[in-house]
């Protein structure tokens, strides 16, 4: 009996000591990270849309933000209409409605009008400035791999056999301005949205800079000037 009581007493002491040890360890442990219990906080950088990251925290003016608008026109659903004068791009939905995007367009002397179709599409495209642009701006790189620092941004939509593209930009503050060498630029988030709606063969109509927005009718198909026909030979 004495031996049994001694064994029980020792077991009790060991149990108590173990409990004290683990409690002490818990108290001494470093605090849990702030994202504990909130997995979204841990994975937020991964889950964040890469196009939104590329655009940073810049906020467009209300009229330049992507939005559904009434837009009476005779174009087929799926057509892109570019209103250079008002720096808007319309993706026609039909039934008098369109998605409107704010854009940056060609500066004075570098605008064009006409009708083209989409011939190629690329995500995070490489950039190779043409010879004519390098002649005007010899400091430009001869080649730049696609990425967030690339002037073409997150997506590029190539128009016919011209040097022109609808593309993203790493300078979202240029949306709503007339600054490019003839290409049409959107924020990276907007160009990614447009890219998801467009296919090769999509019709793209660029209105003359003096054309009014309301009740747009589609002009007869024309060809945008080719490289040799223009001063506007830049691709962004």
């Amino acid at each position: 009996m004495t031996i049994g009581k001694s064994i029980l007493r020792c077991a009790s002491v060991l149990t108590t000591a173990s409990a004290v040890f683990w409690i002490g360890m818990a108290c001494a442990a470093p605090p849990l990270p702030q994202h504990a219990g909130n997995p979204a906080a841990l994975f937020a950088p991964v889950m964040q849309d890469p196009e939104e990251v590329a655009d940073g925290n810049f906020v467009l003016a209300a009229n330049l933000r992507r939005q559904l608008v009434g837009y009476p026109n005779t174009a087929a659903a799926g057509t892109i209409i570019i209103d250079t004068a008002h720096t808007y791009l319309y993706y026609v939905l039909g039934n008098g409605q369109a998605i409107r995007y704010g854009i940056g367009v060609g500066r004075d002397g570098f605008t064009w009008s006409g009708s083209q179709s989409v011939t190629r599409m690329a995500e995070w495209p490489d950039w190779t400035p043409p010879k004519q642009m390098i002649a005007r701006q010899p400091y430009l790189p001869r080649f730049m791999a696609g990425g967030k620092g690339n002037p073409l941004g997150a997506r590029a939509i190539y128009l016919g056999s011209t040097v022109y593209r609808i593309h993203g930009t790493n300078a979202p503050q240029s949306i709503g301005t007339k600054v490019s060498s003839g290409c049409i630029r959107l924020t990276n988030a907007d160009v990614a949205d447009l890219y998801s709606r467009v296919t090769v063969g999509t019709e793209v109509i660029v209105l003359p800079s003096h054309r009014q927005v309301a009740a747009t009718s589609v002009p007869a198909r024309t060809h945008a000037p080719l490289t040799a026909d223009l001063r506007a030979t830049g691709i962004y």
Side-chain angles (χ1 to χ4, degrees), residues 14-32:
L14 287 172
T15 301
T16 303
S18 296
V20 171
F21 173 78
W22 287 112
I23 291 172
M25 288 292 290
C27 293
L32 292 172

Side-chain angles (χ1 to χ4, degrees), residues 139-220:
Y139 53 84
L140 292 174
R142 275 37 178 181
F143 172 83
M144 184 180 291
K148 292 180 183 177
N150 192 299
L152 297 185
R155 305 287 187 272
I157 299 169
Y158 298 76
L159 305 181
S161 58
T162 73
V163 296
Y164 300 121
R165 294 140 174 82
I166 298 169
H167 64 79
T169 180
N170 54 22
Q173 67 275 12
S174 66
I175 302 304
T177 69
K178 300 178 180 180
V179 69
S180 80
S181 294
C183 284
I184 306 301
R185 61 176 68 177
L186 297 85
T187 66
N188 283 324
D190 279 356
V191 80
D193 179 84
L194 180 65
Y195 188 97
S196 70
R197 304 174 190 277
V198 170
T199 60
V200 170
T202 292
E203 186 83 0
V204 179
I205 298 167
V206 181
L207 302 176
S209 59
H210 60 273
R211 192 66 173 267
Q212 296 300 311
V213 175
T216 300
S217 59
V218 179

